[in-house]
Amino acid sequence: MNTDLNRLMALMTGDEKHGPAATSTLDALWVLYDRVLRVTPQTVSAPGRDRFLLSKGHGPMAYYAVLAAKGYFPEELLAGFGSYDSPLGHHPDRLRVPGAEIGSGSLGHGLPLGVGTVLGLRAQQLTEPRVWVLIGDAELDEGSVHEAIAYAGPAGLDQLHTLVIDNASASYGSPGGIAARFEAGGWSVRTVDGRDHEQLYAAFTAPHPGRPHAVVARVEPKNA
Amino acid sequence: MDNMRERFAATTSRLLDEDPRLAVVLAEITRDGFADAARAHPDRVVNVGIREQLLIGAGAGMALTGMRPVVHTFASFLVERPFEQVKLDLGHQGLGAVLVSAGGSYDWPAGGFTHMSPGDVALLDTLDGWTVHVPGHPDEAEALLRHAVRGDDRVYVRLSLQANQRPQPVTGGGFRTVREGHGGVVIAVGPMLDAVLAATEGMDVTVLYATTVRPFDGAALRRATDAPGRADVVLVEPYLAGTSTAATNDALADRPHRVLGLGVGRQELRRYGQIEEHVAAHGLDAASLHRSIGGFLAGSLTPQG
């Protein structure tokens, strides 16, 4: 997959080699969209689809590349990345990007929106769709993320999943590690190598009855 | 007579029985008022605990799935504390919700400034697409709430313990003419109507009653001021003074006019006490309003620095 995704990324950046920040999410996103999420360009509005909410909205090139590779929009759009007439901004806008469940950029909004999405699905007896929210390790600094973690565990929101891309970018880190934050909130947690597709897949599909599930995907440190 | 907040809980509980799309999202406040509804509809009455950012985000997430969320807490914690969530999770995402606040500007004066929110409507004024209802009576609150839950848009319903003696018919739309005159127009918003009517007794003024302040009914104001010469307009609002001054100016941009915006002062009083004492301190009791409105219309009001 990487050759084609790298080509798609290069359409946005003009660069075949990308810094870790730009590609930190690439492998995890690909495994999710390729093997886990039950959603396609044909089912983007279906009530029973799985939802993917990109909360960490900065550096969305990997996200756009995956969406283009999966046919949510033509790859010709990628070249206009960030330009006035392009729907693809440096932060995504759900009203402009086909397949994007939320617009993001400001950190800490995705997980509460994911909580509400699960609540809304549950209230409509839609217990099959799974909701995935991608956040960054530094995004855990936001209090709103802690509000969502602390609520979702005791509330038993087992349709909710959080993918934490850990590139060690938080200035103060999480004492005890990121997994401990989720475990304290009553979540199921797996920590894996964020570049290893089989590890990612196994973690993404691990059973977690009655509890929300977090996957911490470790990648190269941002400032290494 | 119940108060607006009690009516809100009772009405919304009934609406939950009737409309499967409706959900209530709480952050502990008014939890008891929804206890029966929560038992009847455990998936549609959600209490997220004392987490106001999550409150708005979770409500917006429910809207993402097609639900109609009614999101409620005190105004300070509903609009001011999670303001970026209100701006982004609802507005930027293109989602709707009914935000219902309690507490008004100073419904619990003994609680102090932490529980006062005179700036809520002015804050929402920085955002696009919000309908703002300010009922002046529990019956009006119920009617406006029933109107609000039917749509998909962004609605703010501002509930208060301050209320007028009698309800007015409300439609969820524009301003209502409750008195006609020729010497100026006074717009009374929500709970301010009784005091305005008392203050303007014997004055030759038109009194417009506004329970829906956004969108601002500029057409009604233009009709009320549709006389030769100068338009004099006094706004009497139960929140931050001058909140609707810009909307008034915009409505009258093409004609000579003067506007006086009365409401809650910006300066923090740092006083406890009773609602009535705060009303008087902000010059919103009938006697103070009589002096302010009379002085303004006579051209002798001294602008406050």
Side-chain angles (χ1 to χ4, degrees):
Chain A
M1 68 101 191
N2 280 334
T3 308
D4 196 44
L5 289 178
N6 283 341
R7 182 183 64 78
L8 295 171
M9 299 260 301
L11 293 175
M12 288 171 273
T13 62
D15 181 5
E16 292 286 352
K17 296 186 194 315
H18 308 287
T23 65
S24 64
T25 60
L26 188 62
D27 292 277
L29 275 173
W30 179 254
V31 174
L32 262 185
Y33 269 91
D34 195 46
R35 300 171 67 183
V36 177
L37 294 174
R38 295 170 298 193
V39 59
T40 68
Q42 288 72 44
T43 62
V44 284
S45 301
R49 73 187 183 280
D50 285 348
R51 271 77 165 169
F52 174 79
L53 281 56
L54 183 76
S55 185
K56 190 189 86 69
H58 53 284
M61 292 88 84
Y63 182 49
Y64 292 153
V66 168
L67 287 175
K70 285 295 179 185
Y72 288 88
F73 52 77
E75 67 177 63
E76 287 71 36
L77 287 183
L78 297 174
F81 180 58
S83 65
Y84 188 76
D85 291 322
S86 173
L88 308 182
H90 292 196
H91 298 126
D93 181 339
R94 74 179 287 265
L95 299 184
R96 303 204 60 198
V97 182
E101 297 282 0
I102 62 167
S104 55
S106 186
L107 296 177
H109 291 260
L111 203 53
L113 285 167
V115 165
T117 303
V118 169
L119 292 170
L121 291 168
R122 188 185 261 199
Q124 296 169 76
Q125 287 76 51
L126 293 166
T127 55
E128 290 298 315
R130 295 164 302 198
V131 177
W132 280 89
V133 182
L134 187 152
I135 67 174
D137 67 291
E139 194 171 359
L140 280 158
D141 290 358
E142 296 285 2
S144 52
V145 175
H146 287 261
E147 291 187 5
I149 292 171
Y151 169 77
L157 300 188
D158 54 8
Q159 287 172 265
L160 182 65
H161 304 73
T162 303
L163 166 58
V164 186
I165 300 296
D166 179 11
N167 63 352
S169 60
S171 291
Y172 295 98
S174 279
I178 294 170
R181 290 289 170 108
F182 286 92
E183 283 162 1
W187 290 53
S188 151
V189 194
R190 292 282 186 98
T191 300
V192 297
D193 177 348
R195 298 299 186 189
D196 185 317
H197 290 198
E198 292 312 315
Q199 281 192 36
L200 285 166
Y201 178 75
F204 289 160
T205 54
H208 51 93
R211 294 193 291 169
H213 184 55
V215 174
V216 182
R218 286 186 169 150
V219 298
E220 317 77 62
K222 180 182 181 182
N223 299 313
Chain B
M1 176 54 106
D2 55 357
N3 64 42
M4 291 187 200
R5 186 171 155 203
E6 291 161 347
R7 185 71 68 87
F8 156 63
T11 301
T12 309
S13 294
R14 280 195 298 277
L15 289 169
L16 282 164
D17 296 334
E18 301 163 9
D19 183 356
R21 203 173 69 106
L22 207 60
V24 171
V25 192
L26 305 170
E28 299 295 354
I29 302 299
T30 318
R31 186 182 65 175
D32 292 349
F34 284 98
D36 290 342
R39 275 189 289 276
H41 308 286
D43 289 338
R44 291 193 288 125
V45 179
V46 175
N47 174 19
V48 300
I50 309 169
R51 300 184 175 96
E52 287 82 11
Q53 297 183 72
L54 178 62
L55 175 76
I56 303 294
M62 295 187 91
L64 267 179
T65 70
M67 305 285 290
R68 181 62 163 165
V70 176
V71 183
H72 167 72
T73 184
F74 292 143
S76 305
F77 316 134
L78 185 69
V79 177
E80 295 177 324
R81 188 179 191 123
F83 183 70
E84 199 205 35
Q85 275 77 12
V86 173
K87 170 188 155 194
L88 295 181
D89 296 358
L90 293 168
H92 179 58
Q93 304 292 347
L95 298 170
V98 183
L99 303 192
V100 181
S101 73
S105 293
Y106 33 67
D107 280 5
W108 183 28
F113 193 63
T114 58
H115 284 60
M116 298 180 185
S117 185
D120 54 351
V121 178
L123 256 180
L124 282 177
D125 246 355
T126 65
L127 305 179
D128 181 43
W130 281 86
T131 295
V132 177
H133 295 311
V134 187
H137 187 278
D139 290 359
E140 299 170 10
E142 176 170 347
L144 291 166
L145 190 69
R146 288 179 176 279
H147 187 267
V149 298
R150 284 199 293 268
D152 282 306
D153 50 346
R154 292 185 283 282
V155 184
Y156 180 57
V157 185
R158 187 185 205 263
L159 307 181
S160 177
L161 292 174
Q162 284 188 268
N164 303 309
Q165 285 296 316
R166 283 178 300 279
Q168 299 282 324
V170 298
T171 59
F175 303 164
R176 174 181 169 81
T177 305
V178 292
R179 183 180 288 167
E180 289 197 80
H182 303 285
V185 177
V186 182
I187 301 176
V189 175
M192 297 287 91
L193 180 61
D194 281 357
V196 166
L197 288 175
T200 57
E201 189 68 46
M203 289 186 190
D204 183 23
V205 295
T206 292
V207 175
L208 299 179
Y209 180 49
T211 52
T212 300
V213 287
R214 300 290 181 280
F216 188 83
D217 190 355
L221 177 60
R222 289 177 66 83
R223 282 194 300 276
T225 59
D226 198 13
R230 189 181 64 193
D232 288 338
V233 180
V234 182
L235 290 155
V236 185
E237 301 183 271
Y239 36 76
L240 201 62
T243 297
S244 296
T245 301
T248 303
N249 278 322
D250 289 346
L252 301 175
D254 62 342
R255 63 181 70 169
H257 64 276
R258 296 189 305 145
V259 182
L260 174 65
L262 300 176
V264 179
R266 196 173 293 269
Q267 187 177 32
E268 187 181 335
L269 275 183
R270 292 192 189 279
R271 297 284 184 163
Y272 299 109
Q274 304 294 319
I275 291 175
E276 293 73 21
E277 294 170 299
H278 284 250
V279 167
H282 291 289
L284 295 173
D285 59 301
S288 300
L289 289 174
H290 181 78
R291 283 192 298 275
S292 299
I293 296 168
F296 174 75
L297 295 177
S300 63
L301 184 85
T302 307
Q304 302 197 341

